[in-house]
């Protein structure tokens, strides 16, 4: 029981360290989603030009969600007319370029990892756009659209179909500070938490268990830390593979990334590992349902190559500029809760979360929770804010 307690203590301390950042990130995301309609997003994603992909990535970053919901939303946008490459750029942005991910990376691992994520993300999208131009023919896209239009269920279908933005006239600020705006923000906030909670808990428990039970010597041998050049080459190759078999996605993979960094994985390998939340085995199965086996294999191959390439790019760029941390002391190995600025921030943001949850419950939010995993059609009954 001592080993189990140690693992739970590590998971608990990590949870406490990142709690305020999660609340802040989802609150900011809720504000954006409350005033930007999904129909507007579709109109801006009609082709695969560089400007369009940049816009899709930014819109994705503003629509943060768990990996499952991001994948479901990307298919929804694709079915409504968005370009397939643009939909994939949106999907990557919504899981790997979000504010809360950057804050948590900085808290647990250091600001350099946040910078690497926001530098490597656009590089990965560029790689994918080029690879899609080379390997994805119009015939394959048509077949994927036909499969997508069949509407086979994956995960978080109802959540992806909900458009909780505020309609009507008025400026961004006026709509936001209205009663309907406050309600919309509360609905998005709680729904995003409900979507991410499972993955976050699993990620923290897995990271706590691995941090407590797997000695660093194992990871040091696995990541070839005695051979710096080989380690830099090996890290981005094996990082996504570890992510795929670990089943941990979304923000939940950051604590495990911290464990791997302490264990010796290269800087670029950490970046590639975090990007691979969109290739875990359950999501690959959802791609198969959404787009068919051929497109799934293309996504797997191109995403993997792009992740590895982005990892190498980050390793080279940050190595050349001397920004790769020289010490491996990620927050994952610290236990206990201390009375410091983190505690004060957690208290403040927990009060904000309580206020938003109260508004959510008082304005019919419970019915929306029941529709999260339902059919997209049924979800529309719960989400309009006119």
């Amino acid at each position: 029981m001592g080993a189990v307690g140690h693992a739970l203590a590590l998971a608990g301390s990590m949870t406490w360290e990142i709690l305020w950042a999660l609340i802040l990130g989802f609150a900011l995301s809720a504000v954006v989603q409350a005033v930007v309609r999904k129909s507007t997003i579709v109109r801006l994603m009609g082709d695969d030009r560089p400007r369009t992909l940049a816009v899709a990535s930014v819109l994705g970053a503003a629509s943060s969600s768990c990996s499952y919901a991001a994948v479901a939303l990307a298919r929804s946008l694709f079915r409504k007319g968005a370009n397939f490459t643009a939909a994939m750029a949106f999907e990557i942005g919504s899981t790997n370029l979000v504010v809360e991910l950057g804050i948590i990376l900085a808290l647990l691992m250091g600001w350099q990892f946040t910078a690497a994520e926001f530098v490597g993300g656009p590089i990965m999208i560029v790689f994918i756009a080029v690879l899609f131009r080379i390997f994805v023919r119009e015939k394959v896209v048509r077949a994927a659209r036909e499969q997508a239009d069949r509407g086979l269920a994956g995960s978080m279908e109802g959540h992806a179909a909900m458009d909780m933005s505020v309609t009507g006239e008025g400026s961004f600020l006026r709509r936001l500070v209205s009663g309907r705006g406050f309600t919309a923000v509360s609905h998005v906030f709680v729904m995003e938490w409900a979507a991410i909670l499972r993955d976050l808990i699993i990620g923290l428990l897995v990271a706590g268990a691995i941090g407590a039970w797997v000695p660093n010597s194992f990871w040091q041998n696995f990541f070839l830390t005695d051979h710096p050049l080989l380690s830099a080459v090996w890290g981005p190759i094996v990082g996504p593979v570890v992510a795929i078999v670990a089943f941990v996605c979304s923000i939940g993979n950051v604590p495990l990334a911290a464990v791997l960094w302490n264990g010796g994985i290269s800087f670029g390998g950490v970046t590639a590992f975090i990007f691979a939340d969109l290739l875990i085995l359950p999501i690959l199965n959802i791609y198969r349902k959404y787009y068919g086996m051929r497109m799934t294999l293309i996504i797997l191959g191109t995403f993997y190559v792009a992740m590895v390439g982005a990892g190498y790019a980050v390793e080279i760029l940050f190595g050349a500029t001397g920004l790769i941390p020289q010490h491996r002391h990620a927050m994952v190995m610290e236990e206990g809760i201390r009375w410091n600025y983190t505690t004060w921030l957690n208290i403040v943001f927990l009060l904000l979360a309580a206020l938003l949850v109260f508004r959510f419950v008082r304005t019919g939010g419970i019915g929306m929770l029941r529709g999260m995993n339902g059919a997209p059609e049924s979800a529309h009954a719960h989400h309009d804010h006119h």
Side-chain angles (χ1 to χ4, degrees):
M1 289 299 293
V4 174
H6 182 37
L8 291 175
L10 288 177
S13 63
M14 281 187 287
T15 303
W16 187 249
E17 192 68 29
I18 66 177
L19 183 59
W20 71 267
L22 284 170
I23 296 172
L24 171 61
F26 283 124
L28 292 174
S29 173
V31 167
V32 174
Q33 292 186 60
V35 293
V36 179
R37 294 190 64 80
K38 289 179 181 175
S39 57
T40 302
I41 296 174
V42 172
R43 287 200 304 271
L44 297 172
M45 293 170 51
D47 54 60
D48 62 351
R49 292 179 300 171
R51 182 178 182 279
T52 303
L53 297 183
V55 170
S57 303
V58 172
L59 289 171
S63 305
S64 65
S65 55
C66 81
S67 301
Y68 292 101
V71 171
L73 180 53
R75 181 182 69 161
S76 175
L77 297 173
F78 178 53
R79 292 179 69 184
K80 292 176 181 177
N83 177 271
F84 185 77
T85 304
M88 293 298 101
F90 179 93
E91 178 180 300
I92 294 167
S94 66
T95 57
N96 292 304
L97 296 176
V98 293
V99 172
E100 56 268 30
L101 175 65
I103 296 174
I104 292 168
L105 280 169
L107 287 175
L108 291 185
M109 304 177 69
W111 66 266
Q112 297 94 331
F113 294 90
T114 302
E117 200 67 15
F118 287 104
V119 169
I123 292 174
M124 177 182 167
I125 291 171
V126 170
F127 281 145
I128 287 174
V130 172
L131 291 169
F132 277 8
R133 284 283 185 97
I134 296 172
F135 294 107
V136 180
R137 298 288 179 262
E138 185 59 33
K139 179 181 178 181
V140 178
V141 176
R142 283 199 305 269
R145 193 178 295 278
E146 291 173 2
Q147 178 69 19
D149 286 339
R150 294 177 61 190
L152 297 182
S155 182
M156 295 292 171
E157 300 290 336
H159 180 48
M162 294 177 187
D163 188 345
M164 293 170 274
S165 58
V166 180
T167 59
E169 301 298 324
S171 65
F172 176 101
L173 184 60
R174 185 172 181 177
R175 282 181 288 155
L176 183 63
V177 299
S178 67
R180 291 180 298 116
F182 182 33
T183 298
V185 169
S186 72
H187 285 187
V188 177
F189 177 81
V190 176
M191 294 296 288
E192 290 292 324
W193 266 101
I196 199 74
L197 194 58
R198 176 188 61 184
D199 295 321
L200 182 62
I201 292 173
I202 292 173
L204 287 164
L205 291 176
V206 168
I210 292 177
W213 302 340
V214 180
N216 275 351
S217 58
F218 169 82
W219 294 117
Q220 289 165 359
N221 291 327
F222 183 71
F223 293 129
L224 308 177
T225 55
D226 290 336
H227 308 279
L229 180 59
L230 284 177
S231 178
V233 173
W234 177 241
I237 293 174
V238 75
V241 177
V242 174
I244 290 170
V245 300
F247 280 62
V248 180
C249 66
S250 307
I251 294 170
N253 67 2
V254 176
L256 183 53
V259 171
L260 299 180
W261 172 248
N262 284 344
I265 193 172
S266 68
F267 189 74
V270 169
T271 304
F273 168 84
I274 293 172
F275 286 147
D277 62 333
L278 292 172
L279 290 183
I280 64 171
L281 294 176
I283 286 181
L284 287 175
N285 187 48
I286 292 172
Y287 286 141
R288 180 187 61 80
K289 295 178 181 178
Y290 283 179
Y291 307 120
M293 181 57 73
R294 185 174 182 183
M295 183 61 87
T296 298
L297 293 175
I298 291 174
I299 291 173
L300 173 60
T302 54
F303 273 38
Y304 177 77
V305 170
M307 290 165 188
V308 173
Y312 285 144
V314 164
E315 186 78 34
I316 293 169
L317 289 172
F318 281 68
T321 53
L323 293 178
I324 296 178
Q326 299 302 307
H327 303 287
R328 298 176 180 269
H329 301 302
M331 191 67 69
V332 68
M333 299 311 293
E334 293 189 9
E335 288 186 49
I337 296 173
R338 300 166 182 80
W339 193 261
N340 53 21
Y341 78 95
T342 298
T343 300
W344 283 110
L345 287 170
N346 280 340
I347 292 172
V348 171
F349 281 98
L350 281 170
L351 290 174
L352 172 62
L355 178 63
L356 290 169
V357 171
F358 179 77
R359 181 75 171 191
F360 176 83
V361 173
R362 289 290 301 274
T363 53
I366 301 301
M368 295 173 63
L369 284 175
R370 297 192 186 103
M372 283 185 67
N373 282 301
E377 293 76 13
S378 66
H380 287 283
H382 301 288
H383 69 274
D384 288 324
H385 296 289
H386 298 293

